[in-house]
Every structure is written in C-alpha cells, then in structure tokens.
Amino acid sequence: MIFSSMTFLYYFLPAFLLCYYLVPKKYKKICLIIFSLIFYAYGDIKYVPLLIISACLNYFLGKKISGKKHPKLFLILGLILNFGLLFYFKYYNFFIENINNLTGTHLSFIRVAIPLGLSFYTFQNASYLIDIYTHKINDAKNLLNYMTYLLMFPHLAEGPIVRYADIEKNLDNPKQDFTSFSSGVSRFIIGLSKKVILADTLTYFSKSLASLNTPSILSYWLKAFNDTFVLYLDFSGYSDMAIGLGLMIGFKFLENFNYPLASFSITDFWRRWHISLSSWFKDYIYIPLKGSHVKPLRRAFNIFIVWLATGFWHGASWNFIFWGLYYAIILIIEKKFFQKFLDKHHLIGLIYTNVIVAIGFVIFNETDLSKAFLFIKNMFSFTSLDFVNLETLYYLKNYLLIFVLGIIASSKFIKNINEKFAENEKLANVVGYIKPIVYIILLIISTSFIIDSSSNPFLYFKF
C-alpha cells in the first residue's frame, strides 16, 4: 500500500484516523501498531513476523545495554544482528556474484526479496542501541513504546529515519490539536501533489526523451535534469506526506528535505537532501572517525568512508558505489579549493551544484555503468550529435508547463512568496482564507491523476 493510492487515501487512512481519535488515550498506541502492521502486511505480509521480531529483539537488547553488565557486548551483538540481517537480504547475492566473477567459482545465490523498509528500520534500530550506549537516551520504558516507534506506518517504508529521541516525549503524550492536525493535512496534500501531479507526469517526459529516434545533446541534458526533479519531487513528496501523517496523530518528525536544489555548493546540497540519512552517517560514522578535526589526508579518508557507505546503503550495485565515490571526490576537492568561492558567487554555485547533481543521478539511476558513462559522454558530445532537433523540441513543448512547475516546486519560489504575504497582515488574512480552497483543489486534481492510473510506486521503496 502506498500513500498515493485510492486504497490508502479513501479507505485505510479514514478508518485509521477514526479509530485513533475515538479510542481512549491508553489504547492509541495499540491502535497505531495494529494499523501499521496492516499497512505493512498489505505490501509485504511474509515479512511481518520479521518486523515484529526485530522490534522485540532490539527492545530487549536496549534493556541489556542500559544495564550494568556488559553493555558493550550487547551493543556489538545488536549491531551484528541488525546489520547482519541487512547484509543477508540486501547484499549477500551482490558479494556472491562478485566472488564468482573474480574467482570463477559457482557459489549459490539465495532467492529472497528485500523486506519492505529494511534499510530504514535497520538504521532506526541501530541508532536506538548506540544512543542508549552513549547515554543520549534512556531505553524505552516498555515494549509497546518501542514497537510504536519502530512500526509507525508514516515513516516505516521510506523514512524519514526517525530517531527514538525525536519522538520519545510524544509516545505517551502525542500533541493532538486542531492546529497540528490541519497542518498535517495540508502538508500531506502538498506531498501528494508533488508526487502524483508533478513527479509521475515528469516520469513520462523522461520516458519520452529516452525513446527518441534521434537524440540530441539537449535531450540528454533535459533527461538528466528531469530525472533529478522526478527523484526530488517523488522522495520529498513522500517525506511531506510522512511528516503530515505524523502531525495528524500528534508526532513531529524532523524535516528530511530543505530545498536542496537551491543549494550553492555540493556541501550545502548534502545538508539539505535526505537529511535524516546524511545526519545519520555524520553522527554515527563521520564524527566517531574524528570528522574534520584531523589532518587533511585523514579528513579525506573519513569523507571517502562515509560516502562509500552512503552509496552502498542505496543498493547492492556498482553504480551506487560509484555514485557515492563520485560525491566523495567532489566534496574533497570542493572543500579544499572551491568552498569560499562558491559561498561568494551564488549564481555560479547554483548552476555548478545542479549540474553536478544531475550528472550524479545519471549514475544513480542506471545500474549498467557502461550505459551511464555513455549517457554522460553524450551530454558533452558536441561534435557527434546535434545540439537540438525537432523531435526533442516536440516533447519539450508538450511537457514544458509541467517541467517549469517542477522547477518552481523544487525551488524556494513559493516559500518566498508565502513569507512576503505573511509580512503583510491583510494579505496574510486573505491567503489564510484561500489556502484551504487551494488544498481541496489539489486533492481533487491528485485524486483524478490517481484514478487515471498515472500514479507510480515511490522510487525509494526499492531501497
């Protein structure tokens, strides 16, 4: 079940909210857990027992780590179990394939599907155990609290990677009032619109550009930028919906995106893109490696390790590893030579950042590295390809409006307008009356897109 489906929007979500708000306070967590398990079972029923066992096991490991006897031993055991499970389902076949290729052996593969949300809830379990060990949090006071934290359906399948400390206070006292609920509804609708109106429609633009009889340099650049907008609008749209759902039931998740495509450097981009993941690697790998408080060579090594892990987290494929190393190299060079220049020249920084990111996502989206490198080569093939042709212009004309809307939605344009209106009391009042109408219209349009079967699964489900 995905958030942008009729089943979720008009059956599951209303039933859940009705139950959640009608049951007494002491049963709300049970209600949330039951509906979360139903949500998970709808998409991956065979791994429901694994999810429940994972929650129970990490809860009891947390208890042991918070005790006085051998906390480090139980932490190591917990990390081995959590990452061992991730390795088995997600990476085992990758390593077997490469061992077979290198040695000529014929080791057997395993036939298993990756459990839904495994990468996300593995990191949540790991952060919970590490934070208890480092005395940043206390262990969950009961199993019900921990299961609520881990199984909560708004962030279960695709993040954000929520840490226990972020919602600990809300587990027993969720903030439930009209302001939070209405903010949650509006945030959810914004995310839904980004996903089904913009991302899914722009996906067809990318498919059209990929199937041109005669591609041009412009068609390659358009596809690279369009794919970037699709991924941003898809994933940030999901995060908006997850945050909105959290607000509806009294939980405030931290932001996962902060207009990354408006960044002036790659360093700044990665402070704004998939914030819950980048901050996880920073706090649990980069800082323990002494971060930037080391000699330049060691600092470069630390960046290399973090980005190798970041690339590998996204998938068991060489393109993700190259994608991670691509950013490691760029960040090392940028921090050494260009950071101050980019901080002073924002327009150049904006263009540079988006070009680097678009090229990076060519590698990210193509599992066949030879095809990815050929694509990048064609982006700069000024002698062997026409810069533009009629076929490219035809599809650009057809999708120009939605492409421009994608650019606007990926920028701070709407945010800046809202801030300007907020400064004027009269305009702010007018906007306050108009916004609910706009949200209703967006919901109706989004629903029509879903009915029209133009809505696709979220891209980050596969991670």
Side-chain angles (χ1 to χ4, degrees):
M1 191 187 310
I2 61 173
F3 295 164
S4 57
S5 67
M6 295 296 289
T7 302
F8 180 84
L9 286 173
Y10 294 103
Y11 296 97
F12 180 88
L13 185 57
F16 163 69
L17 291 174
L18 187 64
C19 176
Y20 187 78
Y21 275 92
L22 286 180
V23 299
K25 183 178 179 180
K26 63 181 179 179
Y27 297 122
K28 289 189 186 298
K29 283 181 282 191
I30 295 174
C31 173
L32 180 52
I33 290 171
I34 291 172
F35 273 87
S36 294
L37 290 173
I38 293 170
F39 175 87
Y40 193 86
Y42 189 91
D44 207 355
I45 191 169
K46 63 180 177 293
Y47 287 127
V48 169
L50 178 67
L51 182 62
I52 295 172
I53 291 169
S54 177
C56 295
L57 184 62
N58 281 279
Y59 167 74
F60 287 112
L61 283 168
K63 287 291 182 187
K64 290 295 184 180
I65 292 170
S66 66
K68 295 181 180 180
K69 292 184 178 181
H70 312 299
K72 189 173 184 178
L73 176 63
F74 285 107
L75 172 64
I76 293 171
L77 177 62
L79 295 179
I80 290 173
L81 288 172
N82 280 292
F83 287 105
L85 195 68
L86 183 64
F87 174 85
Y88 174 77
F89 281 104
K90 193 170 181 178
Y91 302 107
Y92 179 84
N93 284 340
F94 174 77
F95 279 94
I96 292 299
E97 179 184 5
N98 284 280
I99 290 171
N100 287 343
N101 291 338
L102 286 172
T103 64
T105 55
H106 297 87
L107 299 174
S108 299
F109 295 98
I110 55 173
R111 295 183 178 181
V112 292
I114 301 173
L116 182 64
L118 178 64
S119 296
F120 291 93
Y121 69 73
T122 296
F123 272 36
Q124 291 187 185
N125 281 326
S127 69
Y128 173 73
L129 300 180
I130 295 169
D131 287 351
I132 293 174
Y133 180 77
T134 55
H135 305 292
K136 292 180 180 178
I137 61 170
N138 295 319
D139 60 292
K141 68 179 184 180
N142 55 56
L143 180 58
L144 192 63
N145 273 19
Y146 192 73
M147 290 187 73
T148 304
Y149 156 68
L150 190 69
L151 273 57
M152 195 183 301
F153 74 85
H155 66 72
L156 177 59
E158 200 178 330
I161 300 170
V162 178
R163 302 187 200 180
Y164 191 76
D166 297 336
I167 63 168
E168 183 178 11
K169 293 179 181 179
N170 292 134
L171 286 169
D172 291 316
N173 295 292
K175 184 181 178 182
Q176 295 173 321
D177 54 47
F178 179 77
T179 301
S180 295
F181 186 86
S182 60
S183 296
V185 171
S186 59
R187 186 67 180 270
F188 181 89
I189 293 172
I190 289 170
L192 180 67
S193 303
K194 286 164 72 173
K195 163 63 178 169
V196 302
I197 299 174
L198 297 177
D200 288 347
T201 305
L202 288 173
T203 297
Y204 290 103
F205 185 27
S206 284
K207 289 179 180 178
S208 297
L209 291 169
S211 61
L212 293 181
N213 293 320
T214 309
S216 64
I217 293 172
L218 181 61
S219 71
Y220 283 106
W221 279 98
L222 280 173
K223 187 175 186 305
F225 282 116
N226 192 68
D227 286 346
T228 301
F229 293 136
V230 168
L231 190 58
Y232 168 71
L233 293 167
D234 185 283
F235 193 20
S236 69
Y238 179 95
S239 295
D240 286 335
M241 285 186 267
I243 291 169
L245 288 167
L247 289 171
M248 288 184 212
I249 59 176
F251 293 88
K252 187 174 182 180
F253 305 150
L254 297 181
E255 293 295 333
N256 209 24
F257 289 87
N258 182 22
Y259 301 99
L261 298 179
S263 302
F264 305 125
S265 67
I266 297 301
T267 301
D268 191 39
F269 174 85
W270 281 108
R271 294 191 188 110
R272 296 165 175 264
W273 178 283
H274 204 345
I275 298 168
S276 63
L277 179 67
S278 56
S279 64
W280 197 100
F281 280 114
K282 176 185 175 183
D283 292 343
Y284 298 110
I285 297 182
Y286 188 67
I287 291 176
L289 289 172
K290 307 297 183 183
S292 58
H293 302 292
V294 288
K295 293 180 180 180
L297 188 61
R298 175 58 189 274
R299 183 186 183 187
F301 173 79
N302 292 347
I303 292 173
F304 176 87
I305 292 298
V306 167
W307 280 98
L308 179 64
T310 301
F312 209 35
W313 178 88
H314 281 85
S317 177
W318 282 107
N319 68 304
F320 294 120
I321 295 173
F322 271 87
W323 176 77
L325 296 180
Y326 165 84
Y327 274 111
I329 293 167
I330 288 170
L331 286 166
I332 291 167
I333 294 172
E334 181 180 281
K335 290 175 185 295
K336 180 69 175 177
F337 300 106
F338 303 131
Q339 189 67 61
K340 292 182 180 178
F341 175 83
L342 295 170
D343 289 340
K344 293 179 181 178
H345 301 84
H346 286 178
L347 180 58
I348 294 174
L350 181 68
I351 295 170
Y352 151 83
T353 299
N354 280 274
V355 168
I356 293 295
V357 168
I359 293 172
F361 280 131
V362 172
I363 301 171
F364 184 91
N365 288 322
E366 182 54 73
T367 55
D368 186 334
L369 279 170
S370 62
K371 290 182 180 179
F373 294 143
L374 178 60
F375 189 105
I376 294 169
K377 178 184 175 182
N378 287 332
M379 291 171 71
F380 298 92
S381 297
F382 295 105
T383 57
S384 56
L385 290 175
D386 291 333
F387 178 76
V388 65
N389 56 32
L390 291 176
E391 197 176 4
T392 302
L393 291 176
Y394 171 79
Y395 284 108
L396 176 59
K397 180 182 177 181
N398 285 348
Y399 286 96
L400 183 59
L401 176 59
I402 201 76
F403 186 72
V404 171
L405 289 175
I407 294 173
I408 292 171
S410 303
S411 71
K412 292 183 177 180
F413 180 77
I414 297 174
K415 179 186 176 183
N416 291 339
I417 289 177
N418 280 331
E419 289 175 352
K420 289 291 183 182
F421 284 160
E423 293 172 1
N424 186 303
E425 188 175 347
K426 290 183 178 179
L427 284 175
N429 290 332
V430 173
V431 170
Y433 288 113
I434 293 175
K435 274 187 176 180
I437 300 172
V438 173
Y439 292 135
I440 292 170
I441 292 171
L442 286 174
L443 179 60
I444 293 170
I445 295 173
S446 298
T447 301
S448 69
F449 271 70
I450 296 168
I451 294 172
D452 194 40
S453 300
S454 57
S455 180
N456 301 307
F458 288 94
L459 297 176
Y460 257 67
F461 272 165
K462 61 185 177 181
F463 304 125

